[in-house]
Amino acid sequence: YTLALGLLWCSVALWIAMNDSPARRRWAVFALIATVMWVCHLVGWALLCIAAGSQEFIRQRERNGGLIPAAIASIGPLSCLLIPWLAKILIFQSSAGTGETSGFFLMFHKFDEVSQVLADRWYPFDVASVVFVGALIVASWLPRWTRLNRGMMLAAVITAACVVVVPQRLLGSFFADQRLIEPTLLFALLAIGLSSRCPARLCHALFVAALLFAGGRLAGNAVSLSQLGGQSAEDLQVLEALPRNAQLVTFRAIVCPLPWTFDRWTHLAGYALERRHAFSNDQWDVPGAQLLRVHNPAAGPFEVDESQLGYEAPCNGKASVLTEADRVPASIPYLWIIWSGAPQPLSQWQPLARRGRSVLYRRRAPI
């Protein structure tokens, strides 16, 4: 997903740069680019279709005038973006099934997710950054010294509409609507241009402000990730005591309510799979979405993704990790818990290795 978004902005810039290129050349180039985007992530491909479609529609409308003639004239240039979709239909077999789709029009959550676009570790810094970006977008609509790229603005409007319409979980993929919030803001930012009427000092001040904002966010993220990386490295040291090919269940014990800090440990169990070839119950299997299949009947209800999430104390009707640990099948001899606070004693498990809040347990022998 992240790679697809990185390629998206380069691809949109190339689409605009090739406006005056021969039509066949751009068609061939973007048939390849669309295929690469499809392989990276479908969201990236969909956003490329929205961005390129918006640019082409505005371009054709400036040439042809009416909405319908512009839409018809856009079909040919944009058809190259459908090449991967057609290839899937003609070459590949259809998937055996689809994941769950749920969570339509959860507007409170959608608005809350907007405030968390830059959520990392420091609430005032992260929220102030979102407010700054939003204020800059709104301010660009008012003064006479700005000029807006109508293609980018149309892409921002369409993507914002998708944020409202798309459910929270689409075909088994979580955060389907949330994934579109950042691109919406970026489309709106990229639409902003400065006209010749903008005072030189103001243009320079805005350029410096943009550099300071981007530099501040990058510096903050670098410090945050450095600290989080050190914490993760310490948590992972307990895996040295885990035998290879072990049957293991992992819990990330979180607090309730959730803190502002974005939790990056809910899938740390993947390292047990990579380093020790142990079973990892945080791997997700969405039919038709990937080649991965999870098959471990010994793990029982802890065979699937999200079974690794638990609370240190009962919360919102959900049991605590202490209760969940007692439900781990007897065929699973090892348990790994990454606590948020101080580790708590477990009746059926004894600590095998501990590094701070990360504890590897072994099932107690029956008396």
Side-chain angles (χ1 to χ4, degrees):
Y1 168 72
T2 305
L3 175 61
L5 285 191
L7 294 174
L8 170 66
W9 311 118
C10 299
S11 302
V12 173
L14 182 61
W15 179 275
I16 297 173
M18 294 186 72
N19 274 341
D20 298 326
S21 301
R24 291 183 179 179
R25 181 185 301 173
R26 187 170 75 166
W27 198 97
V29 168
F30 274 87
L32 175 60
I33 290 176
T35 303
V36 172
M37 294 288 285
W38 177 286
V39 173
C40 288
H41 204 285
L42 285 179
V43 170
W45 172 80
L47 290 169
L48 175 62
C49 292
I50 291 174
S54 299
Q55 289 290 333
E56 190 64 24
F57 175 77
I58 295 298
R59 179 168 172 258
Q60 295 295 340
R61 188 167 184 228
E62 292 174 350
R63 289 182 174 182
N64 300 292
L67 296 177
I68 295 179
I72 295 174
S74 300
I75 295 176
L78 294 172
S79 61
C80 58
L81 303 178
L82 301 179
I83 292 299
W85 181 69
L86 293 174
K88 178 181 182 298
I89 294 177
L90 297 175
I91 300 175
F92 299 103
Q93 295 180 353
S94 60
S95 61
T98 56
E100 177 186 349
T101 296
S102 61
F104 285 92
F105 301 109
L106 301 178
M107 301 309 299
F108 174 80
H109 293 282
K110 294 179 189 290
F111 284 117
D112 184 56
E113 287 163 1
V114 172
S115 68
Q116 298 183 43
V117 165
L118 297 173
D120 186 29
R121 289 176 70 89
W122 304 288
Y123 177 83
F125 180 46
D126 297 336
V127 173
S129 298
V130 177
V131 171
F132 174 80
V133 171
L136 180 61
I137 292 172
V138 174
S140 68
W141 302 340
L142 305 177
R144 292 183 299 174
W145 43 264
T146 59
R147 54 178 178 80
L148 300 179
N149 182 296
R150 290 186 292 170
M152 283 296 177
M153 284 303 300
L154 179 59
V157 171
I158 294 174
T159 310
C162 290
V163 172
V164 176
V165 175
V166 170
Q168 187 180 57
R169 184 171 185 173
L170 180 63
L171 301 179
S173 178
F174 276 108
F175 315 119
D177 54 350
Q178 186 175 352
R179 293 177 190 270
L180 301 174
I181 295 175
E182 292 88 346
T184 299
L185 296 175
L186 281 168
F187 281 139
L189 284 173
L190 291 172
I192 302 174
L194 298 176
S195 69
S196 57
R197 292 177 292 184
C198 177
R201 289 185 178 180
L202 179 58
C203 292
H204 295 159
L206 289 173
F207 181 73
V208 171
L211 286 178
L212 291 175
F213 176 80
R217 288 302 313 181
L218 287 172
N221 288 348
V223 172
S224 173
L225 290 175
S226 177
Q227 295 175 354
L228 293 167
Q231 177 68 66
S232 297
E234 182 180 11
D235 293 337
L236 291 170
Q237 290 183 27
V238 300
L239 293 181
E240 297 176 3
L242 180 69
R244 293 182 66 83
N245 306 312
Q247 284 279 24
L248 171 73
V249 163
T250 303
F251 290 131
R252 167 65 179 125
I254 55 181
V255 295
C256 182
L258 293 175
W260 176 260
T261 302
F262 185 77
D263 195 295
R264 292 176 169 88
W265 298 283
T266 57
H267 289 285
L268 205 64
Y271 280 96
L273 174 64
E274 187 270 332
R275 294 183 179 181
R276 309 302 292 173
H277 291 188
F279 174 69
S280 176
N281 58 307
D282 72 323
Q283 303 302 307
W284 58 89
D285 176 5
V286 179
Q290 77 279 94
L291 298 177
L292 174 71
R293 293 293 179 268
V294 178
H295 179 71
N296 185 15
F302 301 97
E303 185 186 23
V304 296
D305 176 40
E306 288 191 90
S307 65
Q308 81 279 11
L309 294 178
Y311 293 97
E312 290 198 340
C315 176
N316 297 327
K318 296 183 179 180
S320 68
V321 166
L322 301 179
T323 302
E324 292 297 313
D326 291 336
R327 295 178 57 239
V328 175
S331 55
I332 304 293
Y334 294 96
L335 176 67
W336 180 22
I337 300 182
I338 304 172
W339 300 89
S340 293
Q344 303 178 33
L346 303 176
S347 59
Q348 299 182 24
W349 303 87
Q350 61 183 13
L352 181 62
R354 174 178 174 178
R355 293 293 296 183
R357 62 177 192 169
S358 176
V359 185
L360 178 66
Y361 299 88
R362 181 169 51 197
R363 187 178 293 276
R364 296 181 186 274
I367 300 176

